[in-house]
Amino acid sequence: MHTISSAPVTGDDAVDELADAVTHLVRKWRTAGRRVPNAAHSTLALLQLAGLLDEGEHRIGEIAELRGVDQSVVSRQVGELQARGLACRRPDPSDRRAGLVSLTPDGHALVGRTRTLRRDLVRSALERSDAGDVHTVARLVAALAEEIEARADQLTGLS
């Protein structure tokens, strides 16, 4: 796991401030994701799914596990990508009962445009920030995500 400092955070104010900032960032990120040109009505979830598929073919179950959602959610989202001509399915040659999902050329193009727009958006938002600060915040956010996931997994084991 990533660690930034060995000093524990004890103040609720700092914790609340970070939680509020992350929530605000996620909301703004979702809003920006809906504004990707030529991706009419694309949600952040669909763009994330397309980004995952840009890495190669996956089974619906694999995608669901990687994203931490139910297979029905992924199946519905894949159907939406298919309807837009951005993804396609084919039978898995190793298990004909399962299917593999991949992006079409238009899907790969959308992912490329989205990555470029995302990078440009973040770069312009950070133009007055020190590169060292950006790296520190990136490590902090990654560590926070890992810790939240680990603690959520522990909670799941208690039920």
Side-chain angles (χ1 to χ4, degrees):
M1 299 207 185
H2 297 72
T3 56
I4 300 298
S5 170
S6 59
V9 175
T10 57
D12 286 345
D13 290 345
V15 171
D16 290 343
E17 183 178 359
L18 180 57
D20 290 345
V22 169
T23 300
H24 185 69
L25 176 62
V26 168
R27 285 185 184 135
K28 295 304 178 185
W29 192 252
R30 284 183 179 154
T31 300
R34 289 187 202 101
R35 295 181 184 164
V36 174
N38 303 317
H41 303 87
S42 288
T43 64
L44 182 60
L46 284 178
L47 292 172
Q48 287 173 334
L49 174 58
L52 178 64
L53 291 172
D54 195 44
E55 298 168 4
E57 287 184 313
H58 291 280
R59 287 181 169 193
I60 297 277
E62 291 173 329
I63 297 167
E65 187 174 320
L66 287 169
R67 295 182 62 215
V69 297
D70 190 75
Q71 286 187 20
S72 64
V73 172
V74 175
S75 185
R76 185 175 60 250
Q77 290 172 340
V78 167
E80 193 170 336
L81 289 174
Q82 280 184 284
R84 294 181 190 185
L86 301 172
C88 58
R89 296 183 203 212
R90 71 178 181 93
D92 184 340
S94 65
D95 180 357
R96 292 293 209 191
R97 297 169 295 167
L100 294 171
V101 182
S102 61
L103 289 182
T104 63
D106 286 346
H108 287 290
L110 173 64
V111 170
R113 285 193 311 273
T114 302
R115 283 191 179 126
T116 299
L117 288 169
R118 179 182 70 181
R119 187 178 299 119
D120 291 347
L121 181 64
V122 173
R123 182 181 290 123
S124 67
L126 294 172
E127 65 189 12
R128 292 176 296 189
S129 300
D130 176 71
D133 291 344
V134 172
H135 288 294
T136 299
V137 170
R139 287 191 306 273
L140 176 62
V141 170
L144 179 61
E146 286 180 15
E147 286 296 328
I148 287 173
E149 181 179 34
R151 291 169 193 271
D153 286 347
Q154 291 170 357
L155 290 175
T156 303
L158 296 175
S159 55

